[in-house]
Amino acid sequence: MSYAESLKIDSNVQFDDNHSFCLQVETTKCKAAYLIMTDSQPEFDPFVANRVYPDAAGVFSREIRSLAEVKDDAIVVLDTNVLLVPYTVGKEGLTKIGETYSTLAAANRLCIPGQVAREFANNRAKKLTELAQQFNRKMSSAAPTQKGTYPLLEDFPDYLKIVELESAIDAQLKKYRDAIKGLLNSIQSWSWNDPVSSLYSEVFKGDVVVDLPIASEDELIKELRRRKIHSLPPGYKDSGKDDEGIGDFLVWLTILKVAKEKKKSTIFVSGDEKADWWLRSDGKGLYPRYELVDEYHRESEGHAFHMISFSQYLDLFGVSESVVEEVGVQEAKQSATNDASRIDADATHGADLSTEAISILTEAAAGDGRIMHLRYIGGENLQANGKSLFPSSDRRTIAKWLGGLEDLQRYRLVAALGHKNEIFEVTREGYEVADALNQQ
C-alpha cells in the first residue's frame, strides 16, 4: 500500500531512472504530484507552487464559509496543548469544558487525533509533576520560626511575647505542612484517575480518537522532509526536534483523513502559534496558512478549515465568561513562557538556539562572518567582529558559549574552516537566520 493509499486516496506511482517516484494524488477535481526521492534527500522543486495549488482557478473562485457559518456542524479537532490546559483551571472550568466535549462527542463531531493522544500521554505526567513541585515548594517555605533560644533575653517582656507568638505560628505551620503532605499523598496516589484524565476517559470513547494508518514510515518521513525543504506547512518549524517535527504533520494528515471521510468543515482548536500553522502578524497568529485551507478544501470537497485558540473555542460554544477568562489567562502565561524560553522559530528556521548561540551568530554576521576559537597557555577565547565573546573566565560560562558554537555547527549555520576547529564562517543559512533575528 502506498503513502496515498494509506490515506484512502487514489494514487498512481511511477518510477524513473533516478530511483525516485512521482506520487500522483487524485483529489476532487484535479491531481497533485509529489516528488519524493527514494535514494537521497528530496531536492528543491522549482515548480512547488504547482504542486501546492494544483487548482489555479480555484484560488480565485473558492468560497470559504466563515467560522460562524460552520460552527454548528463542523468537526472539532483538539490539539495536545488544549488537552493539557484543564490541569491549570478550577473545578467549574473543568466541568464546563467537559460539557462542551460531551455535547460534541454525542453529535459525532469531536476528534482527537491518535498523535494527540500519544503526546498527551507523554505530557500529562509533566503537568502532575509541576503541580506536586508547587506544593513541595510551599511546604519548604513554611519552615518553623523558632530556630534558637536566647536565655539572656528572658527577662524582657517583648522577647517572651515573641517566643509565645512563634510557638503559636509554628503550631499553625505544622498543620499547614501536614495538610500539604496529605494533598501530595493524594496526588501521588493518582494513576490515570486524576480529575482531568477521568473526564477524558468518560468522553473520549468510540470513534472520538482517530488514528492514522501508516503503511510506509519511510515514505512518510520523505514527504515530511520534502515539506521542510519547501517550507510547506505544517511541521517544518519543528524540524530541529528529535522527531523532525513529524507530530504536527501526523495531526494534519489525520485532519485530512477526517475531511475526506466526513466531507465537513473542521475547527482545529490549538494553542500553537508557529508560522507553519499561521500567517503571523506582530508575533501572533492572524490567519491559518492558506496552503492548509486550500488542501483541506480540496480533500473535503469544498469545506472550510478554521483554527482557533482554546479560549475562543469556549466563547464560541457559549461557556461562561469567567471560565473563558480563566483559560485566557493560562494561555497568556503559556505564550509568555514560550517567548521567554526560546527565540521565535520563524527567525531561527526551526533551530532551537540558546542565547549564547544567537549572540555568536549575530555578532559574526555583523562583521566579516568569521568566528575564532583561540586557545593559549592559561585559557581560551571566542572572538567575532573584533570582540571577545566570553563574559568571564568561569569554566561553566565558557562551556555554555562553546555549546552555543556547537549548536550553530549542528544546524549548519556556521562551518569550520580547516580541520583544527579554530576558525568558523557563517553559512548562507546562518546569514538568513541572523537577518531574521535582527528584524525582530
Side-chain angles (χ1 to χ4, degrees), residues 3 7 34 77 79 113 115-116 212 223 227 232-235 245-259 266 268 276-277 288-299 304-307:
Y3 166 73
L7 299 180
Y34 293 93
V77 181
D79 202 0
Q115 177 67 19
V116 167
L212 183 73
E223 169 63 5
R227 289 186 175 232
L232 299 178
I246 201 169
D248 282 359
F249 185 42
L250 292 176
V251 171
W252 178 240
L253 291 179
T254 306
I255 291 174
L256 292 182
K257 178 178 184 292
V258 173
T266 281
F268 183 39
D276 56 352
W277 284 107
R289 287 280 294 265
Y290 186 70
E291 297 97 320
L292 302 175
V293 174
D294 182 82
E295 188 174 10
Y296 187 91
H297 189 273
R298 285 183 278 112
E299 293 302 312
F305 173 73
H306 292 279
M307 284 185 68

Side-chain angles (χ1 to χ4, degrees), residues 202-323:
E202 294 176 5
V203 179
F204 300 163
K205 296 178 179 179
D207 296 333
V208 170
V209 179
V210 178
D211 216 353
L212 183 73
I214 299 176
S216 172
E217 294 180 358
D218 289 341
E219 288 182 16
L220 197 65
I221 291 172
K222 286 182 173 66
E223 169 63 5
L224 175 68
R225 290 172 180 170
R226 184 191 73 89
R227 289 186 175 232
K228 173 187 173 183
I229 286 175
H230 298 92
S231 297
L232 299 178
Y236 71 88
K237 286 298 182 184
D238 289 331
S239 59
K241 293 183 177 179
D242 292 339
D243 67 357
E244 299 188 45
I246 201 169
D248 282 359
F249 185 42
L250 292 176
V251 171
W252 178 240
L253 291 179
T254 306
I255 291 174
L256 292 182
K257 178 178 184 292
V258 173
K260 192 168 183 67
E261 292 175 353
K262 296 195 174 184
K263 304 293 190 295
K264 288 186 175 184
S265 296
T266 281
I267 300 172
F268 183 39
V269 187
S270 175
D272 198 330
E273 293 185 329
K274 296 193 303 297
D276 56 352
W277 284 107
W278 290 93
L279 173 66
R280 290 160 59 84
S281 175
D282 294 329
K284 300 295 181 182
L286 184 62
Y287 304 116
R289 287 280 294 265
Y290 186 70
E291 297 97 320
L292 302 175
V293 174
D294 182 82
E295 188 174 10
Y296 187 91
H297 189 273
R298 285 183 278 112
E299 293 302 312
S300 64
E301 298 185 11
H303 292 277
F305 173 73
H306 292 279
M307 284 185 68
I308 57 177
S309 69
F310 194 24
S311 57
Q312 288 174 315
Y313 158 81
L314 295 174
D315 184 51
L316 186 68
F317 286 93
V319 175
S320 65
E321 184 177 347
S322 61
V323 174

Side-chain angles (χ1 to χ4, degrees), residues 50-345:
N50 296 58
R51 327 299 183 202
V52 176
Y53 304 116
D55 180 13
V59 172
F60 301 104
S61 62
R62 185 168 294 119
E63 293 184 5
I64 306 296
R65 297 172 66 198
S66 69
L67 182 62
E69 290 175 317
V70 305
K71 84 175 191 69
D72 293 327
D73 185 57
I75 304 299
V76 175
V77 181
L78 304 180
D79 202 0
T80 310
N81 44 60
V82 168
L83 296 187
L84 295 172
V85 169
Y87 282 104
T88 62
V89 302
K91 183 178 180 180
E92 180 190 0
L94 181 60
T95 300
K96 296 299 182 183
I97 290 168
E99 289 175 356
T100 67
Y101 290 168
S102 296
T103 300
L104 291 170
N108 198 26
R109 294 176 52 204
L110 184 65
C111 171
I112 309 295
Q115 177 67 19
V116 167
R118 294 181 178 94
E119 291 176 1
F120 173 77
N122 288 334
N123 287 280
R124 166 191 173 272
K126 295 178 184 178
K127 286 296 182 181
L128 296 179
T129 299
E130 291 171 1
L131 186 63
Q133 285 176 340
Q134 291 172 7
F135 282 96
N136 273 315
R137 289 174 185 146
K138 285 178 177 287
M139 187 162 60
S140 298
S141 64
T145 59
Q146 291 183 311
K147 297 181 180 179
T149 58
Y150 306 90
L152 182 65
L153 303 176
E154 289 178 353
D155 288 338
F156 290 84
D158 287 340
Y159 172 73
L160 296 177
K161 185 63 175 178
I162 290 172
V163 171
E164 179 184 350
L165 291 172
E166 286 181 341
S167 179
I169 291 171
D170 286 347
Q172 294 299 315
L173 286 174
K174 184 179 183 306
K175 293 180 181 179
Y176 180 68
R177 291 193 300 273
D178 288 343
I180 293 177
K181 288 179 182 178
L183 180 60
L184 288 172
N185 288 335
S186 297
I187 294 174
Q188 190 174 8
S189 69
W190 285 340
S191 52
W192 274 91
N193 61 342
D194 63 85
V196 177
S197 298
S198 295
L199 169 65
Y200 292 166
S201 67
E202 294 176 5
V203 179
F204 300 163
K205 296 178 179 179
D207 296 333
V208 170
V209 179
V210 178
D211 216 353
L212 183 73
I214 299 176
S216 172
E217 294 180 358
D218 289 341
E219 288 182 16
L220 197 65
I221 291 172
K222 286 182 173 66
E223 169 63 5
L224 175 68
R225 290 172 180 170
R226 184 191 73 89
R227 289 186 175 232
K228 173 187 173 183
I229 286 175
H230 298 92
S231 297
L232 299 178
Y236 71 88
K237 286 298 182 184
D238 289 331
S239 59
K241 293 183 177 179
D242 292 339
D243 67 357
E244 299 188 45
I246 201 169
D248 282 359
F249 185 42
L250 292 176
V251 171
W252 178 240
L253 291 179
T254 306
I255 291 174
L256 292 182
K257 178 178 184 292
V258 173
K260 192 168 183 67
E261 292 175 353
K262 296 195 174 184
K263 304 293 190 295
K264 288 186 175 184
S265 296
T266 281
I267 300 172
F268 183 39
V269 187
S270 175
D272 198 330
E273 293 185 329
K274 296 193 303 297
D276 56 352
W277 284 107
W278 290 93
L279 173 66
R280 290 160 59 84
S281 175
D282 294 329
K284 300 295 181 182
L286 184 62
Y287 304 116
R289 287 280 294 265
Y290 186 70
E291 297 97 320
L292 302 175
V293 174
D294 182 82
E295 188 174 10
Y296 187 91
H297 189 273
R298 285 183 278 112
E299 293 302 312
S300 64
E301 298 185 11
H303 292 277
F305 173 73
H306 292 279
M307 284 185 68
I308 57 177
S309 69
F310 194 24
S311 57
Q312 288 174 315
Y313 158 81
L314 295 174
D315 184 51
L316 186 68
F317 286 93
V319 175
S320 65
E321 184 177 347
S322 61
V323 174
V324 173
E325 289 180 354
E326 182 181 23
V327 169
V329 168
Q330 296 304 321
E331 287 175 333
K333 288 181 179 179
Q334 186 59 51
S335 179
T337 299
N338 292 341
D339 291 342
S341 63
R342 64 171 174 84
I343 295 295
D344 192 346

Side-chain angles (χ1 to χ4, degrees), residues 408-424:
L408 294 175
Q409 291 180 271
R410 185 170 71 253
Y411 289 115
R412 300 180 182 179
L413 302 181
V414 303
L417 300 180
H419 65 279
K420 293 184 179 181
N421 281 346
E422 293 179 344
I423 303 176
F424 304 83

Side-chain angles (χ1 to χ4, degrees), residues 349-389:
H349 292 198
D352 185 12
L353 298 181
S354 65
T355 302
E356 291 80 12
I358 291 168
S359 296
I360 296 170
L361 180 63
T362 53
E363 196 65 61
D368 62 2
R370 297 289 180 91
I371 303 163
M372 299 183 67
H373 182 200
L374 306 175
R375 298 178 179 86
Y376 48 86
I377 297 175
E380 57 187 310
N381 201 355
L382 196 65
Q383 292 184 355
N385 196 20
K387 300 178 182 178
S388 174
L389 300 179

